[in-house]
Amino acid sequence: MTILANILVVFFISVGLLFIVVAALGLIRLPDLYTRAHAASKSSTLGVMCILLGVFFHFWLKEDHFNPSILLGVLFLFITGPVGAHIMTRSSYLAGVKAWPGTVRDDLKEEIETMKKEQGIK
Amino acid sequence: MKTNDVILQFTAKIVFFIIFFYAVHIFFAGHYTPGGGFVGGLVTSCAIVLLIIAFDLKKVQSILPINYIYLVATGLIVALGTATFSMIAGKPFFTHSFDYFNLPILGKTSLHTAALFDFGVYLVVVGVTMTIIQTIGEDE
């Protein structure tokens, strides 16, 4: 039982660590803001959630202490992480941050232009 | 520019309740674990600030029609009242008392008058933080 618990904890924490390292590599390697936000929001959310689950299983199975606020933290991160990335990328698009020059398609541009025309800006 | 904030507003509606109930948990857990009135008050005002960011200041004031300066005064009165209550009972100022009670649902719980003092601190912290943020944010 202890060995199984150890395997579970080590699995979750190392998977989370792997995803966080991948997120950091993506922040360095990717060319523009939108691809970086894609890397940072997805993989770091999943990584932190895996690490929290590992900590939760460690305290539950080995220290015999059920801590529901860690589960609440997992739920909170799962809700707010992607929404935060969405708000940041959207506001930087509206502020005029250009995408990587190799981008072939920009569906949001027409929407923003019709929205500006309706409200009479520029 | 007026934009469509559907995702932010819907998320703020759900996350507000998570943050608020976590603040209540921190407040009541303050006697035996880390937490207490100060942190609970700050987390509660964070939840209200999240609503202010997602919606309008006027709309939040119509949802929560609280005059936060009166909230500060109420908190100070509650804190001072628990401190002077022991003087009426003939003990020194700020003497707390506690006992164990058998509540119908919760079972055996220890109720302590320090929780009332902590509740006063909670109200003061929420009131002061929200007064600062509203007076900066109004900008008229």
Side-chain angles (χ1 to χ4, degrees):
Chain A
M1 192 60 206
T2 321
I3 298 172
L4 273 179
N6 274 335
I7 289 173
L8 200 67
V9 169
V10 168
F11 171 75
F12 270 113
I13 289 185
S14 46
V15 165
L17 199 66
L18 185 75
F19 272 107
I20 285 181
V21 169
V22 166
L25 278 180
L27 278 183
I28 297 170
R29 290 281 298 162
L30 290 173
D32 69 340
L33 187 142
Y34 306 103
T35 48
R36 276 182 206 146
H38 173 79
S41 66
K42 267 187 188 140
S43 55
S44 69
T45 306
L46 187 59
V48 176
M49 277 165 61
C50 280
I51 287 181
L52 280 179
L53 274 182
V55 172
F56 172 73
F57 281 128
H58 173 80
F59 278 102
W60 187 28
L61 299 175
K62 297 187 68 188
E63 315 268 329
D64 207 19
H65 170 65
F66 185 83
N67 194 350
S69 43
I70 297 180
L71 291 180
L72 194 70
V74 170
L75 181 73
F76 189 79
L77 267 176
F78 187 66
I79 295 174
T80 55
V83 174
H86 162 78
I87 295 300
M88 279 191 276
T89 43
R90 187 180 163 86
S91 56
S92 47
Y93 188 89
L94 291 178
V97 176
K98 291 277 181 290
W100 180 51
T103 310
V104 287
R105 197 170 157 180
D106 193 355
D107 284 340
L108 192 58
K109 198 173 179 183
E110 302 159 14
E111 296 290 326
I112 298 288
E113 273 169 9
T114 52
M115 193 183 77
K116 278 185 179 173
K117 210 171 284 174
E118 279 171 6
Q119 296 178 16
I121 300 168
K122 284 175 192 172
Chain B
M1 191 192 302
K2 213 172 151 60
T3 51
N4 189 3
D5 285 340
V6 146
I7 296 176
L8 178 63
Q9 289 178 351
F10 185 73
T11 315
K13 278 180 209 161
I14 294 173
V15 164
F16 172 78
F17 289 103
I18 297 178
I19 302 176
F20 180 70
F21 287 120
Y22 190 60
V24 173
H25 165 74
I26 287 176
F27 171 71
F28 281 113
H31 198 78
Y32 292 114
T33 53
F38 186 76
V39 189
L42 277 184
V43 174
T44 307
S45 48
C46 279
I48 303 174
V49 167
L50 178 71
L51 279 188
I52 291 179
I53 289 173
F55 296 94
D56 209 357
L57 196 59
K58 290 219 172 74
K59 195 175 270 181
V60 175
Q61 274 173 351
S62 67
I63 296 168
L64 300 169
I66 303 168
N67 190 343
Y68 290 105
I69 295 177
Y70 289 163
L71 203 66
V72 176
T74 317
L76 286 176
I77 288 171
V78 168
L80 200 65
T82 50
T84 49
F85 182 73
S86 58
M87 288 174 80
I88 299 170
K91 286 173 196 158
F93 188 60
F94 254 121
T95 307
H96 287 300
S97 58
F98 72 98
D99 207 349
Y100 292 97
F101 294 95
N102 273 316
L103 296 180
I105 301 170
L106 299 170
K108 186 188 175 192
T109 43
S110 65
L111 297 180
H112 200 294
T113 51
L116 284 175
F117 178 74
D118 229 15
F119 184 65
V121 174
Y122 175 88
L123 291 182
V124 170
V125 169
V126 172
V128 168
T129 318
M130 293 315 297
T131 308
I132 292 171
I133 287 167
Q134 277 194 350
T135 44
I136 293 173
E138 268 171 354
D139 194 26
E140 280 173 13

